[in-house]
Amino acid sequence: MISISAQSEQLMQAFQSGFEQSSFSNGERQIMLHAVEVFSRKGFVGTKIKDIAQSAGFSQGYVYTYFKSKEDIFTRIAALASGGAGRAVRYAAQLRGTAIERIGWLTEAFLSPDSLAMQHWRLMLLLSSATDAIPDEAKRISKERQAEPIEAFIPLIIEGQNEGDVVQGDPLMLALAYFSMVQGVGLARLQTTMPLPFPTAEVVLRLLRKNG
Amino acid sequence: MISISAQSEQLMQAFQSGFEQSSFSNGERQIMLHAVEVFSRKGFVGTKIKDIAQSAGFSQGYVYTYFKSKEDIFTRIAALASGGAGRAVRYAAQLRGTAIERIGWLTEAFLSPDSLAMQHWRLMLLLSSATDAIPDEAKRISKERQAEPIEAFIPLIIEGQNEGDVVQGDPLMLALAYFSMVQGVGLARLQTTMPLPFPTAEVVLRLLRKNG
DNA sequence: GTCTATATGCTGATAGAC
DNA sequence: GTCTATCAGCATATAGAC
């Protein structure tokens, strides 16, 4: 049984999109922070500049002091968010421990019901659905970074196979299975408000574990 | 190894949302069919009535002959689409075969790269993201039917456990794990255009199979 | 730094012609 | 059955006041 550890907490920080820490001016960060929340509830087209401004406590026109357009806000958010998963995998890869342990910590971070982790999945969803209605630039960036987590995960799988903890098989296919599952759990969590016995990290690891 | 069978093909028909077969008048069906496609690309707010009309080869105003509003179109689509997964599970449950066999056929139908199956996942995605921007009635209906596939799947799991093919454990948790995974693969497929070794039914079944 | 006012364009929905 | 014309409302982005 894997328990929430110091490693997992550090990992979650890497996972999260990092709007807070970024080097923005005050108004800029304030607007970004609220824009993330509104966009993830209403989508790109459904979000009106007025919604973001009101949420952040500014007037509608003030938003244009910091951002050129609605597309601009969205694209900057997409750029920050789409780096999260890859960052988390790279962070996990360089922790000390066996490969399967590190994969376990990573999985806990991904599946955390923490609100910032959930926000990540909401944003990923946004970037995957209604793709003809989101800015091209945002799409480009998110597509560009899409392979990052998978590529960084493959060495971990190979290590795990060499250590005898991970099943044999094409590492790329195993990585895709892993991320499909993790993403699916993230999505499932978003779809319901009821407290249900969602798959734990241990269950997800059954996909990879030898003698699962 | 499970191969595409007569069972799987029948199953896919149950899975698919059934806009074609439904008892609509000609213009009505024509519009619905195109509306599904446009909505799934542009989302609810991003889709303009003109887009649907043009796609179906009608004038903008003509759409209102059959549909009261944009919400009306979307809600009717949501109603048809949100029944698909439950229908497929119920169909699978009453096939002849061991539980794990029937689950295998079902999984093949869910993971089929068939365009109508993909459309199902695109619509599910639409109903799960930007939820503050889709009609309340559509949300209500889709939420109402959300539990159907899981409820219908649980007896299959229990059967499989009794037959010794499925791992022990809370059947609800196993069902949630299964649907998370299936959904995750559907989503992963939508996210990329490249031909990648996406998890097959056999890989998904590792989550459930005893001595996987 | 922050707000108000406004121009400009688009969209949903209706009415009515053919 | 199908289209054209049109209205009323709203949203983005800008200009300029304080």
Side-chain angles (χ1 to χ4, degrees), chain A residues 52-110:
Chain A
I52 297 173
Q54 270 181 2
S55 171
F58 293 116
S59 70
Q60 190 259 6
Y62 186 57
V63 171
Y64 290 91
T65 308
Y66 293 108
F67 300 90
K68 193 178 125 284
S69 63
K70 193 167 83 166
E71 297 207 356
D72 183 25
I73 310 177
F74 190 87
T75 304
R76 287 216 237 166
I77 288 172
L80 282 175
S82 58
R87 223 170 19 242
V89 178
R90 286 192 300 271
Y91 187 93
Q94 52 110 60
L95 287 174
R96 252 183 267 282
T98 66
I100 196 77
E101 274 172 347
R102 285 174 281 158
I103 292 174
W105 298 325
L106 179 66
T107 310
E108 276 180 2
F110 281 145

Side-chain angles (χ1 to χ4, degrees), chain B residues 1-5 7-9 11-12 92-93 95 97-112 153 156 166 178 182 200-206 208-209:
Chain B
M1 193 59 153
I2 293 166
S3 63
I4 303 284
S5 57
Q7 284 93 334
S8 281
E9 275 180 49
L11 243 163
M12 271 191 247
L95 287 174
T98 65
I100 195 79
E101 274 172 347
R102 285 174 282 160
I103 292 174
W105 297 327
L106 179 67
T107 310
E108 277 181 359
F110 280 146
L111 298 191
S112 160
F153 193 69
L156 268 174
V166 171
Y178 174 81
V182 160
T200 59
E202 217 26 72
V203 174
V204 173
L205 287 196
R206 268 184 58 86
L208 302 180
R209 226 189 257 286

Side-chain angles (χ1 to χ4, degrees), chain A residues 16-168:
Chain A
Q16 286 152 17
S17 318
F19 300 98
E20 301 80 3
Q21 308 91 312
S22 301
S23 59
F24 296 126
S25 73
N26 271 341
E28 210 173 353
R29 180 170 47 244
Q30 194 72 359
I31 290 168
M32 278 279 249
L33 236 39
H34 287 266
V36 170
E37 196 272 328
V38 180
F39 275 132
S40 75
R41 280 191 295 107
K42 305 196 174 193
F44 177 69
V45 194
T47 295
K48 311 305 170 187
I49 298 289
K50 196 185 54 180
D51 299 333
I52 297 173
Q54 270 181 2
S55 171
F58 293 116
S59 70
Q60 190 259 6
Y62 186 57
V63 171
Y64 290 91
T65 308
Y66 293 108
F67 300 90
K68 193 178 125 284
S69 63
K70 193 167 83 166
E71 297 207 356
D72 183 25
I73 310 177
F74 190 87
T75 304
R76 287 216 237 166
I77 288 172
L80 282 175
S82 58
R87 223 170 19 242
V89 178
R90 286 192 300 271
Y91 187 93
Q94 52 110 60
L95 287 174
R96 252 183 267 282
T98 66
I100 196 77
E101 274 172 347
R102 285 174 281 158
I103 292 174
W105 298 325
L106 179 66
T107 310
E108 276 180 2
F110 281 145
L111 300 191
S112 159
D114 176 277
S115 71
L116 281 174
M118 297 303 281
Q119 188 179 77
H120 174 89
W121 298 119
R122 230 174 270 126
L123 285 171
M124 288 302 100
L125 215 57
L126 218 53
L127 289 166
S128 309
S129 79
T131 49
D132 279 18
I134 62 179
D136 283 337
E137 181 72 2
K139 244 184 300 182
R140 222 210 63 234
I141 293 174
S142 113
K143 197 154 200 174
E144 212 174 75
R145 305 225 175 136
Q146 197 176 2
E148 280 182 17
I150 291 171
E151 280 165 11
F153 193 67
I154 287 178
L156 269 174
I157 289 194
I158 295 173
E159 263 189 81
Q161 288 175 331
N162 290 337
E163 288 167 0
D165 295 322
V166 171
V167 285
Q168 292 305 308

Side-chain angles (χ1 to χ4, degrees), chain A residues 192-198:
Chain A
T192 176
T193 48
M194 282 182 294
L196 291 172
F198 289 110

